[in-house]
Amino acid sequence: MRPASKSDLFWSFSWLALQGFGGVVAVVQRELVEKKQWLTREEFVEEWAVAQILPGPNVVNLSLMIGDRYFGVQGALLALAGMLFFPLLIVMAMVIAFSGISDLPQVQAALRGMGAVAAGLITATGLKLITAVKLNPMGKKMCWLLAALTFVAIAVLRWPLIWVLLGIGGMACIIAYQAILRIQARSSGEGAP
């Protein structure tokens, strides 16, 4: 499926942005994959991976990519406007209101609680997307090995993200490319007389 119109694209991303304070990936996955079905689960994983590598906020990059996919440059700009317009107004209002109460312990506790909820939502989304690994050309074992290496590099060794992306990400690209070539060679060999 695809967005019904450009206004559908704008309002859909506006609605996404208004739902996703502190962690929008869970909301985006649910809305775009499960409800609207603009992307399959596998397409979402691929697009999300690209959105994470590009500079800037992940979900903003994803909105640009999806807007461009369906309506070209105008779609990209409308999706971006949908992602930013209403949250910008809300954040400006909250900054004005928060400046007067930021020292209250209740406010600090509420912010810590929101962070915990966002972490839970992101974890739940990651668990939902695990099933996409079984269709990856590298195979499940290699995907899990690369995920484990990434975890160790970031959480244990505390390597900077750019080195993890260039090192493990670059290695994953080469392995995936070789796996796709093997699959193509196998399928062309099957079709040969």
Side-chain angles (χ1 to χ4, degrees), residues 61-180:
N61 294 337
L62 184 67
S63 69
L64 284 166
M65 293 161 60
I66 292 174
D68 181 62
R69 169 191 279 212
Y70 293 114
F71 297 107
V73 174
Q74 283 185 338
L77 294 175
L78 282 171
L80 178 65
M83 283 301 302
L84 299 179
F85 182 70
F86 291 109
L88 180 66
L89 293 180
I90 292 172
V91 167
M92 289 174 68
M94 288 180 70
V95 165
I96 293 168
F98 186 72
S99 63
I101 59 171
S102 62
D103 293 335
L104 293 176
Q106 295 88 348
V107 173
Q108 296 296 325
L111 290 175
R112 281 194 295 275
M114 287 181 215
V117 170
L121 285 172
I122 292 169
T123 302
T125 301
L127 292 174
K128 277 184 183 177
L129 296 175
I130 280 177
T131 56
V133 168
K134 69 182 175 190
L135 299 176
N136 193 292
M138 294 187 293
K140 281 194 287 190
K141 287 181 184 176
M142 183 55 69
C143 289
W144 285 112
L145 176 64
L146 290 170
L149 286 174
T150 303
F151 177 80
V152 169
I154 291 175
V156 178
L157 301 175
R158 305 272 184 198
W159 287 358
L161 182 60
I162 186 68
W163 297 118
V164 175
L165 283 173
L166 292 175
I168 299 173
M171 183 172 62
C173 288
I174 293 169
I175 294 170
Y177 180 72
Q178 290 173 340
I180 290 169

Side-chain angles (χ1 to χ4, degrees), residues 4 18 27 29-31 53 98 106 108 124 136 155 163 188:
L18 292 172
V27 178
Q29 188 272 335
R30 188 184 67 232
E31 290 289 326
I53 293 171
F98 186 72
Q106 295 88 348
Q108 296 296 325
N136 193 292
W163 297 118
S188 65

